[in-house]
Amino acid sequence: ALRYNIDAISIEEPKKWDGKWRLVVFDIPEKMKKAREALRDKLRKLGFYQLQKSVFVFPFACSDEINFIVEFFELRSHVRIMTVLDVTNEVELKLHFGLS
């Protein structure tokens, strides 16, 4: 049943930010271009900020949601999720997400 709820996925934003950034990084082959574009589109719709063509960032816990999306598009071996404490020039990201 969850397979049909890909469009209903959302990420809950906590009242207080934990100061960690979640990065989704991928290198998806050209033969899987449609899945790659679908992943990018889904990340944008969820509110992720695109740092580079294949690097997206988000300030809140989201690994369950991203893992579901990655499995849905069958991209497990091409996508990495990271939690980082520091990103250079993060002022731009904080402004984008309305964080202080």
Side-chain angles (χ1 to χ4, degrees), residues 4-44:
Y4 300 103
N5 289 328
I6 188 80
D7 293 328
I9 288 179
S10 63
I11 299 170
E12 260 187 66
E13 294 186 12
K15 293 181 195 259
K16 185 172 165 68
W17 180 45
D18 64 5
K20 299 175 186 174
W21 296 103
R22 281 63 178 194
L23 270 66
V24 177
V25 180
F26 52 91
D27 188 11
I28 302 169
E30 187 62 25
K31 67 182 179 184
M32 300 176 78
K33 183 177 181 174
K34 286 185 180 184
R36 183 178 64 222
E37 293 305 320
L39 175 62
R40 275 193 188 117
D41 184 56
K42 192 64 185 166
L43 292 172
R44 285 186 196 108

mmCIF file of all heavy atoms in Angstrom, residues 4-44:
data_model
loop_
_atom_site.group_PDB
_atom_site.id
_atom_site.type_symbol
_atom_site.label_atom_id
_atom_site.label_comp_id
_atom_site.label_asym_id
_atom_site.label_seq_id
_atom_site.Cartn_x
_atom_site.Cartn_y
_atom_site.Cartn_z
ATOM 1 N N TYR A 4 1.984 3.127 -3.260
ATOM 2 C CA TYR A 4 1.113 4.059 -3.971
ATOM 3 C C TYR A 4 1.011 5.413 -3.289
ATOM 4 O O TYR A 4 0.299 6.279 -3.747
ATOM 5 C CB TYR A 4 -0.274 3.419 -4.146
ATOM 6 C CG TYR A 4 -0.182 2.136 -4.935
ATOM 7 C CD1 TYR A 4 -0.247 0.905 -4.303
ATOM 8 C CD2 TYR A 4 0.027 2.162 -6.305
ATOM 9 C CE1 TYR A 4 -0.128 -0.270 -5.018
ATOM 10 C CE2 TYR A 4 0.155 0.990 -7.028
ATOM 11 C CZ TYR A 4 0.071 -0.219 -6.380
ATOM 12 O OH TYR A 4 0.210 -1.382 -7.098
ATOM 13 N N ASN A 5 1.736 5.602 -2.188
ATOM 14 C CA ASN A 5 1.675 6.855 -1.451
ATOM 15 C C ASN A 5 2.913 7.725 -1.646
ATOM 16 O O ASN A 5 3.190 8.584 -0.825
ATOM 17 C CB ASN A 5 1.469 6.576 0.040
ATOM 18 C CG ASN A 5 0.070 6.073 0.325
ATOM 19 O OD1 ASN A 5 -0.871 6.445 -0.359
ATOM 20 N ND2 ASN A 5 -0.053 5.218 1.311
ATOM 21 N N ILE A 6 3.655 7.509 -2.708
ATOM 22 C CA ILE A 6 4.865 8.295 -2.957
ATOM 23 C C ILE A 6 4.548 9.784 -3.029
ATOM 24 O O ILE A 6 5.326 10.609 -2.578
ATOM 25 C CB ILE A 6 5.610 7.811 -4.226
ATOM 26 C CG1 ILE A 6 6.972 8.496 -4.376
ATOM 27 C CG2 ILE A 6 4.786 8.031 -5.479
ATOM 28 C CD1 ILE A 6 8.036 7.920 -3.528
ATOM 29 N N ASP A 7 3.398 10.135 -3.566
ATOM 30 C CA ASP A 7 3.024 11.546 -3.680
ATOM 31 C C ASP A 7 2.583 12.142 -2.352
ATOM 32 O O ASP A 7 2.552 13.352 -2.204
ATOM 33 C CB ASP A 7 1.911 11.720 -4.722
ATOM 34 C CG ASP A 7 2.402 11.391 -6.114
ATOM 35 O OD1 ASP A 7 3.601 11.621 -6.402
ATOM 36 O OD2 ASP A 7 1.592 10.900 -6.919
ATOM 37 N N ALA A 8 2.260 11.297 -1.392
ATOM 38 C CA ALA A 8 1.767 11.779 -0.098
ATOM 39 C C ALA A 8 2.889 11.950 0.927
ATOM 40 O O ALA A 8 2.651 12.436 2.024
ATOM 41 C CB ALA A 8 0.715 10.819 0.444
ATOM 42 N N ILE A 9 4.106 11.595 0.573
ATOM 43 C CA ILE A 9 5.222 11.685 1.520
ATOM 44 C C ILE A 9 5.496 13.141 1.886
ATOM 45 O O ILE A 9 5.513 14.020 1.024
ATOM 46 C CB ILE A 9 6.494 11.058 0.935
ATOM 47 C CG1 ILE A 9 6.342 9.549 0.894
ATOM 48 C CG2 ILE A 9 7.725 11.415 1.763
ATOM 49 C CD1 ILE A 9 7.529 8.850 0.308
ATOM 50 N N SER A 10 5.702 13.359 3.165
ATOM 51 C CA SER A 10 6.109 14.679 3.646
ATOM 52 C C SER A 10 7.075 14.464 4.803
ATOM 53 O O SER A 10 7.169 13.369 5.346
ATOM 54 C CB SER A 10 4.900 15.497 4.092
ATOM 55 O OG SER A 10 4.274 14.867 5.190
ATOM 56 N N ILE A 11 7.792 15.520 5.152
ATOM 57 C CA ILE A 11 8.760 15.433 6.237
ATOM 58 C C ILE A 11 8.324 16.381 7.343
ATOM 59 O O ILE A 11 8.132 17.566 7.102
ATOM 60 C CB ILE A 11 10.174 15.797 5.743
ATOM 61 C CG1 ILE A 11 10.605 14.812 4.639
ATOM 62 C CG2 ILE A 11 11.165 15.787 6.900
ATOM 63 C CD1 ILE A 11 11.870 15.216 3.919
ATOM 64 N N GLU A 12 8.166 15.828 8.535
ATOM 65 C CA GLU A 12 7.764 16.651 9.677
ATOM 66 C C GLU A 12 8.910 17.536 10.128
ATOM 67 O O GLU A 12 10.042 17.072 10.270
ATOM 68 C CB GLU A 12 7.348 15.757 10.846
ATOM 69 C CG GLU A 12 5.861 15.609 10.961
ATOM 70 C CD GLU A 12 5.486 14.860 12.214
ATOM 71 O OE1 GLU A 12 5.722 15.386 13.326
ATOM 72 O OE2 GLU A 12 4.944 13.764 12.067
ATOM 73 N N GLU A 13 8.618 18.790 10.345
ATOM 74 C CA GLU A 13 9.627 19.722 10.834
ATOM 75 C C GLU A 13 9.460 19.882 12.341
ATOM 76 O O GLU A 13 8.397 20.268 12.810
ATOM 77 C CB GLU A 13 9.484 21.075 10.138
ATOM 78 C CG GLU A 13 9.792 21.016 8.671
ATOM 79 C CD GLU A 13 9.791 22.378 8.012
ATOM 80 O OE1 GLU A 13 9.780 23.405 8.728
ATOM 81 O OE2 GLU A 13 9.791 22.415 6.777
ATOM 82 N N PRO A 14 10.515 19.583 13.100
ATOM 83 C CA PRO A 14 10.424 19.744 14.555
ATOM 84 C C PRO A 14 10.366 21.220 14.937
ATOM 85 O O PRO A 14 10.720 22.089 14.134
ATOM 86 C CB PRO A 14 11.731 19.102 15.053
ATOM 87 C CG PRO A 14 12.663 19.220 13.906
ATOM 88 C CD PRO A 14 11.831 19.142 12.663
ATOM 89 N N LYS A 15 9.948 21.496 16.143
ATOM 90 C CA LYS A 15 9.867 22.884 16.610
ATOM 91 C C LYS A 15 11.255 23.505 16.724
ATOM 92 O O LYS A 15 11.433 24.687 16.505
ATOM 93 C CB LYS A 15 9.159 22.944 17.969
ATOM 94 C CG LYS A 15 7.700 22.569 17.881
ATOM 95 C CD LYS A 15 7.030 22.664 19.237
ATOM 96 C CE LYS A 15 5.705 21.967 19.229
ATOM 97 N NZ LYS A 15 4.564 22.743 19.110
ATOM 98 N N LYS A 16 12.242 22.680 17.082
ATOM 99 C CA LYS A 16 13.603 23.183 17.257
ATOM 100 C C LYS A 16 14.558 22.390 16.366
ATOM 101 O O LYS A 16 14.547 21.162 16.366
ATOM 102 C CB LYS A 16 14.014 23.061 18.727
ATOM 103 C CG LYS A 16 15.367 23.655 19.031
ATOM 104 C CD LYS A 16 15.603 23.662 20.535
ATOM 105 C CE LYS A 16 17.017 23.894 20.925
ATOM 106 N NZ LYS A 16 17.689 25.036 20.761
ATOM 107 N N TRP A 17 15.405 23.117 15.632
ATOM 108 C CA TRP A 17 16.396 22.497 14.756
ATOM 109 C C TRP A 17 17.539 21.922 15.595
ATOM 110 O O TRP A 17 18.024 22.563 16.525
ATOM 111 C CB TRP A 17 16.908 23.545 13.770
ATOM 112 C CG TRP A 17 17.937 23.060 12.808
ATOM 113 C CD1 TRP A 17 17.900 21.894 12.092
ATOM 114 C CD2 TRP A 17 19.154 23.708 12.438
ATOM 115 N NE1 TRP A 17 19.017 21.788 11.296
ATOM 116 C CE2 TRP A 17 19.809 22.890 11.493
ATOM 117 C CE3 TRP A 17 19.754 24.902 12.807
ATOM 118 C CZ2 TRP A 17 21.019 23.221 10.913
ATOM 119 C CZ3 TRP A 17 20.966 25.239 12.226
ATOM 120 C CH2 TRP A 17 21.582 24.405 11.292
ATOM 121 N N ASP A 18 17.998 20.736 15.259
ATOM 122 C CA ASP A 18 19.081 20.085 15.998
ATOM 123 C C ASP A 18 20.482 20.507 15.537
ATOM 124 O O ASP A 18 21.482 20.002 16.041
ATOM 125 C CB ASP A 18 18.945 18.565 15.941
ATOM 126 C CG ASP A 18 19.074 17.996 14.535
ATOM 127 O OD1 ASP A 18 19.358 18.756 13.582
ATOM 128 O OD2 ASP A 18 18.885 16.771 14.384
ATOM 129 N N GLY A 19 20.570 21.417 14.582
ATOM 130 C CA GLY A 19 21.855 21.928 14.123
ATOM 131 C C GLY A 19 22.574 21.026 13.130
ATOM 132 O O GLY A 19 23.716 21.288 12.767
ATOM 133 N N LYS A 20 21.922 19.961 12.689
ATOM 134 C CA LYS A 20 22.537 19.026 11.746
ATOM 135 C C LYS A 20 21.921 19.186 10.359
ATOM 136 O O LYS A 20 20.736 19.462 10.222
ATOM 137 C CB LYS A 20 22.335 17.583 12.218
ATOM 138 C CG LYS A 20 22.968 17.302 13.557
ATOM 139 C CD LYS A 20 22.632 15.902 14.015
ATOM 140 C CE LYS A 20 23.143 15.641 15.422
ATOM 141 N NZ LYS A 20 22.696 14.346 15.924
ATOM 142 N N TRP A 21 22.770 19.005 9.362
ATOM 143 C CA TRP A 21 22.311 19.055 7.968
ATOM 144 C C TRP A 21 22.223 17.640 7.422
ATOM 145 O O TRP A 21 23.080 16.805 7.700
ATOM 146 C CB TRP A 21 23.279 19.866 7.118
ATOM 147 C CG TRP A 21 23.355 21.296 7.528
ATOM 148 C CD1 TRP A 21 24.353 21.896 8.242
ATOM 149 C CD2 TRP A 21 22.391 22.315 7.271
ATOM 150 N NE1 TRP A 21 24.071 23.225 8.443
ATOM 151 C CE2 TRP A 21 22.865 23.514 7.853
ATOM 152 C CE3 TRP A 21 21.169 22.349 6.608
ATOM 153 C CZ2 TRP A 21 22.171 24.709 7.785
ATOM 154 C CZ3 TRP A 21 20.475 23.541 6.544
ATOM 155 C CH2 TRP A 21 20.971 24.705 7.130
ATOM 156 N N ARG A 22 21.190 17.385 6.633
ATOM 157 C CA ARG A 22 21.036 16.084 5.977
ATOM 158 C C ARG A 22 21.334 16.284 4.493
ATOM 159 O O ARG A 22 20.701 17.107 3.837
ATOM 160 C CB ARG A 22 19.623 15.546 6.146
ATOM 161 C CG ARG A 22 19.363 14.922 7.509
ATOM 162 C CD ARG A 22 19.498 15.889 8.621
ATOM 163 N NE ARG A 22 19.206 15.288 9.923
ATOM 164 C CZ ARG A 22 19.001 15.994 10.993
ATOM 165 N NH1 ARG A 22 19.037 17.305 10.966
ATOM 166 N NH2 ARG A 22 18.776 15.405 12.139
ATOM 167 N N LEU A 23 22.325 15.556 3.996
ATOM 168 C CA LEU A 23 22.704 15.655 2.598
ATOM 169 C C LEU A 23 22.294 14.380 1.873
ATOM 170 O O LEU A 23 22.505 13.275 2.382
ATOM 171 C CB LEU A 23 24.221 15.822 2.454
ATOM 172 C CG LEU A 23 24.748 17.250 2.453
ATOM 173 C CD1 LEU A 23 24.527 17.918 3.775
ATOM 174 C CD2 LEU A 23 26.193 17.281 2.047
ATOM 175 N N VAL A 24 21.717 14.562 0.712
ATOM 176 C CA VAL A 24 21.414 13.451 -0.178
ATOM 177 C C VAL A 24 22.303 13.654 -1.392
ATOM 178 O O VAL A 24 22.232 14.686 -2.055
ATOM 179 C CB VAL A 24 19.921 13.425 -0.579
ATOM 180 C CG1 VAL A 24 19.655 12.297 -1.569
ATOM 181 C CG2 VAL A 24 19.039 13.283 0.656
ATOM 182 N N VAL A 25 23.167 12.673 -1.640
ATOM 183 C CA VAL A 25 24.149 12.747 -2.714
ATOM 184 C C VAL A 25 23.928 11.544 -3.618
ATOM 185 O O VAL A 25 23.746 10.426 -3.128
ATOM 186 C CB VAL A 25 25.581 12.698 -2.120
ATOM 187 C CG1 VAL A 25 26.621 12.778 -3.206
ATOM 188 C CG2 VAL A 25 25.763 13.807 -1.104
ATOM 189 N N PHE A 26 23.939 11.773 -4.921
ATOM 190 C CA PHE A 26 23.715 10.642 -5.822
ATOM 191 C C PHE A 26 24.522 10.760 -7.107
ATOM 192 O O PHE A 26 24.905 11.843 -7.529
ATOM 193 C CB PHE A 26 22.229 10.463 -6.133
ATOM 194 C CG PHE A 26 21.523 11.694 -6.623
ATOM 195 C CD1 PHE A 26 21.431 11.982 -7.977
ATOM 196 C CD2 PHE A 26 20.915 12.562 -5.720
ATOM 197 C CE1 PHE A 26 20.762 13.111 -8.428
ATOM 198 C CE2 PHE A 26 20.237 13.689 -6.163
ATOM 199 C CZ PHE A 26 20.167 13.969 -7.516
ATOM 200 N N ASP A 27 24.781 9.602 -7.678
ATOM 201 C CA ASP A 27 25.456 9.480 -8.967
ATOM 202 C C ASP A 27 24.712 8.376 -9.718
ATOM 203 O O ASP A 27 25.016 7.196 -9.561
ATOM 204 C CB ASP A 27 26.931 9.136 -8.763
ATOM 205 C CG ASP A 27 27.714 9.180 -10.064
ATOM 206 O OD1 ASP A 27 27.171 9.669 -11.070
ATOM 207 O OD2 ASP A 27 28.866 8.718 -10.064
ATOM 208 N N ILE A 28 23.733 8.797 -10.475
ATOM 209 C CA ILE A 28 22.834 7.860 -11.142
ATOM 210 C C ILE A 28 23.167 7.814 -12.634
ATOM 211 O O ILE A 28 23.215 8.858 -13.283
ATOM 212 C CB ILE A 28 21.367 8.273 -10.903
ATOM 213 C CG1 ILE A 28 21.095 8.303 -9.392
ATOM 214 C CG2 ILE A 28 20.412 7.335 -11.626
ATOM 215 C CD1 ILE A 28 19.790 8.942 -8.990
ATOM 216 N N PRO A 29 23.402 6.620 -13.171
ATOM 217 C CA PRO A 29 23.795 6.495 -14.578
ATOM 218 C C PRO A 29 22.772 7.073 -15.552
ATOM 219 O O PRO A 29 21.568 7.136 -15.262
ATOM 220 C CB PRO A 29 23.921 4.987 -14.794
ATOM 221 C CG PRO A 29 23.856 4.356 -13.459
ATOM 222 C CD PRO A 29 23.257 5.341 -12.514
ATOM 223 N N GLU A 30 23.266 7.448 -16.703
ATOM 224 C CA GLU A 30 22.425 8.040 -17.748
ATOM 225 C C GLU A 30 21.292 7.104 -18.163
ATOM 226 O O GLU A 30 20.196 7.559 -18.471
ATOM 227 C CB GLU A 30 23.301 8.399 -18.958
ATOM 228 C CG GLU A 30 22.574 9.174 -20.036
ATOM 229 C CD GLU A 30 22.041 10.545 -19.589
ATOM 230 O OE1 GLU A 30 22.582 11.137 -18.636
ATOM 231 O OE2 GLU A 30 21.068 11.010 -20.211
ATOM 232 N N LYS A 31 21.528 5.809 -18.135
ATOM 233 C CA LYS A 31 20.485 4.858 -18.538
ATOM 234 C C LYS A 31 19.296 4.876 -17.567
ATOM 235 O O LYS A 31 18.235 4.355 -17.887
ATOM 236 C CB LYS A 31 21.038 3.449 -18.688
ATOM 237 C CG LYS A 31 21.498 2.822 -17.397
ATOM 238 C CD LYS A 31 22.078 1.447 -17.619
ATOM 239 C CE LYS A 31 22.534 0.873 -16.291
ATOM 240 N NZ LYS A 31 23.177 -0.406 -16.452
ATOM 241 N N MET A 32 19.491 5.498 -16.397
ATOM 242 C CA MET A 32 18.414 5.615 -15.405
ATOM 243 C C MET A 32 17.976 7.079 -15.262
ATOM 244 O O MET A 32 17.560 7.521 -14.198
ATOM 245 C CB MET A 32 18.893 5.065 -14.058
ATOM 246 C CG MET A 32 19.302 3.604 -14.122
ATOM 247 S SD MET A 32 19.976 3.030 -12.557
ATOM 248 C CE MET A 32 18.462 2.788 -11.637
ATOM 249 N N LYS A 33 18.063 7.813 -16.348
ATOM 250 C CA LYS A 33 17.797 9.254 -16.343
ATOM 251 C C LYS A 33 16.408 9.602 -15.796
ATOM 252 O O LYS A 33 16.258 10.546 -15.028
ATOM 253 C CB LYS A 33 17.954 9.810 -17.760
ATOM 254 C CG LYS A 33 17.770 11.299 -17.848
ATOM 255 C CD LYS A 33 17.995 11.807 -19.257
ATOM 256 C CE LYS A 33 17.819 13.322 -19.280
ATOM 257 N NZ LYS A 33 18.163 13.872 -20.588
ATOM 258 N N LYS A 34 15.394 8.838 -16.175
ATOM 259 C CA LYS A 34 14.034 9.140 -15.700
ATOM 260 C C LYS A 34 13.934 9.017 -14.185
ATOM 261 O O LYS A 34 13.321 9.848 -13.529
ATOM 262 C CB LYS A 34 13.012 8.243 -16.390
ATOM 263 C CG LYS A 34 12.757 8.621 -17.822
ATOM 264 C CD LYS A 34 11.655 7.801 -18.435
ATOM 265 C CE LYS A 34 11.459 8.237 -19.883
ATOM 266 N NZ LYS A 34 10.337 7.554 -20.510
ATOM 267 N N ALA A 35 14.551 7.999 -13.635
ATOM 268 C CA ALA A 35 14.537 7.819 -12.174
ATOM 269 C C ALA A 35 15.322 8.939 -11.505
ATOM 270 O O ALA A 35 14.920 9.446 -10.457
ATOM 271 C CB ALA A 35 15.114 6.461 -11.805
ATOM 272 N N ARG A 36 16.449 9.332 -12.098
ATOM 273 C CA ARG A 36 17.256 10.431 -11.555
ATOM 274 C C ARG A 36 16.459 11.726 -11.516
ATOM 275 O O ARG A 36 16.439 12.435 -10.510
ATOM 276 C CB ARG A 36 18.525 10.593 -12.400
ATOM 277 C CG ARG A 36 19.460 11.654 -11.878
ATOM 278 C CD ARG A 36 20.730 11.742 -12.712
ATOM 279 N NE ARG A 36 20.425 12.153 -14.072
ATOM 280 C CZ ARG A 36 20.976 11.636 -15.173
ATOM 281 N NH1 ARG A 36 21.858 10.657 -15.086
ATOM 282 N NH2 ARG A 36 20.647 12.086 -16.351
ATOM 283 N N GLU A 37 15.785 12.034 -12.600
ATOM 284 C CA GLU A 37 14.969 13.252 -12.654
ATOM 285 C C GLU A 37 13.795 13.175 -11.689
ATOM 286 O O GLU A 37 13.423 14.171 -11.070
ATOM 287 C CB GLU A 37 14.497 13.518 -14.084
ATOM 288 C CG GLU A 37 15.618 13.877 -15.037
ATOM 289 C CD GLU A 37 16.450 15.063 -14.572
ATOM 290 O OE1 GLU A 37 15.889 16.041 -14.039
ATOM 291 O OE2 GLU A 37 17.687 14.999 -14.723
ATOM 292 N N ALA A 38 13.214 11.999 -11.537
ATOM 293 C CA ALA A 38 12.105 11.825 -10.593
ATOM 294 C C ALA A 38 12.582 12.046 -9.162
ATOM 295 O O ALA A 38 11.881 12.670 -8.358
ATOM 296 C CB ALA A 38 11.495 10.433 -10.751
ATOM 297 N N LEU A 39 13.781 11.553 -8.849
ATOM 298 C CA LEU A 39 14.350 11.770 -7.513
ATOM 299 C C LEU A 39 14.590 13.251 -7.277
ATOM 300 O O LEU A 39 14.198 13.787 -6.233
ATOM 301 C CB LEU A 39 15.656 10.988 -7.363
ATOM 302 C CG LEU A 39 16.416 11.224 -6.058
ATOM 303 C CD1 LEU A 39 15.586 10.792 -4.851
ATOM 304 C CD2 LEU A 39 17.763 10.508 -6.085
ATOM 305 N N ARG A 40 15.208 13.939 -8.234
ATOM 306 C CA ARG A 40 15.445 15.384 -8.085
ATOM 307 C C ARG A 40 14.132 16.132 -7.870
ATOM 308 O O ARG A 40 14.039 17.002 -7.010
ATOM 309 C CB ARG A 40 16.130 15.936 -9.347
ATOM 310 C CG ARG A 40 17.589 15.791 -9.360
ATOM 311 C CD ARG A 40 18.209 16.634 -10.478
ATOM 312 N NE ARG A 40 19.614 16.328 -10.581
ATOM 313 C CZ ARG A 40 20.201 15.797 -11.643
ATOM 314 N NH1 ARG A 40 19.517 15.550 -12.731
ATOM 315 N NH2 ARG A 40 21.484 15.543 -11.629
ATOM 316 N N ASP A 41 13.150 15.798 -8.664
ATOM 317 C CA ASP A 41 11.854 16.460 -8.566
ATOM 318 C C ASP A 41 11.228 16.232 -7.187
ATOM 319 O O ASP A 41 10.705 17.163 -6.564
ATOM 320 C CB ASP A 41 10.926 15.952 -9.671
ATOM 321 C CG ASP A 41 9.604 16.675 -9.688
ATOM 322 O OD1 ASP A 41 9.603 17.920 -9.785
ATOM 323 O OD2 ASP A 41 8.554 15.997 -9.606
ATOM 324 N N LYS A 42 11.309 15.005 -6.702
ATOM 325 C CA LYS A 42 10.725 14.685 -5.397
ATOM 326 C C LYS A 42 11.451 15.431 -4.277
ATOM 327 O O LYS A 42 10.822 15.962 -3.356
ATOM 328 C CB LYS A 42 10.768 13.169 -5.160
ATOM 329 C CG LYS A 42 9.942 12.734 -3.991
ATOM 330 C CD LYS A 42 8.471 13.028 -4.238
ATOM 331 C CE LYS A 42 7.643 12.720 -3.041
ATOM 332 N NZ LYS A 42 6.306 13.283 -3.111
ATOM 333 N N LEU A 43 12.778 15.500 -4.353
ATOM 334 C CA LEU A 43 13.543 16.224 -3.337
ATOM 335 C C LEU A 43 13.174 17.705 -3.327
ATOM 336 O O LEU A 43 12.998 18.302 -2.268
ATOM 337 C CB LEU A 43 15.047 16.040 -3.570
ATOM 338 C CG LEU A 43 15.587 14.633 -3.328
ATOM 339 C CD1 LEU A 43 17.043 14.530 -3.779
ATOM 340 C CD2 LEU A 43 15.430 14.219 -1.876
ATOM 341 N N ARG A 44 13.035 18.292 -4.509
ATOM 342 C CA ARG A 44 12.627 19.704 -4.584
ATOM 343 C C ARG A 44 11.244 19.905 -3.972
ATOM 344 O O ARG A 44 11.018 20.854 -3.222
ATOM 345 C CB ARG A 44 12.621 20.175 -6.041
ATOM 346 C CG ARG A 44 13.996 20.414 -6.604
ATOM 347 C CD ARG A 44 13.903 21.017 -8.013
ATOM 348 N NE ARG A 44 15.158 20.909 -8.696
ATOM 349 C CZ ARG A 44 15.408 20.088 -9.708
ATOM 350 N NH1 ARG A 44 14.463 19.319 -10.200
ATOM 351 N NH2 ARG A 44 16.611 20.060 -10.267
#
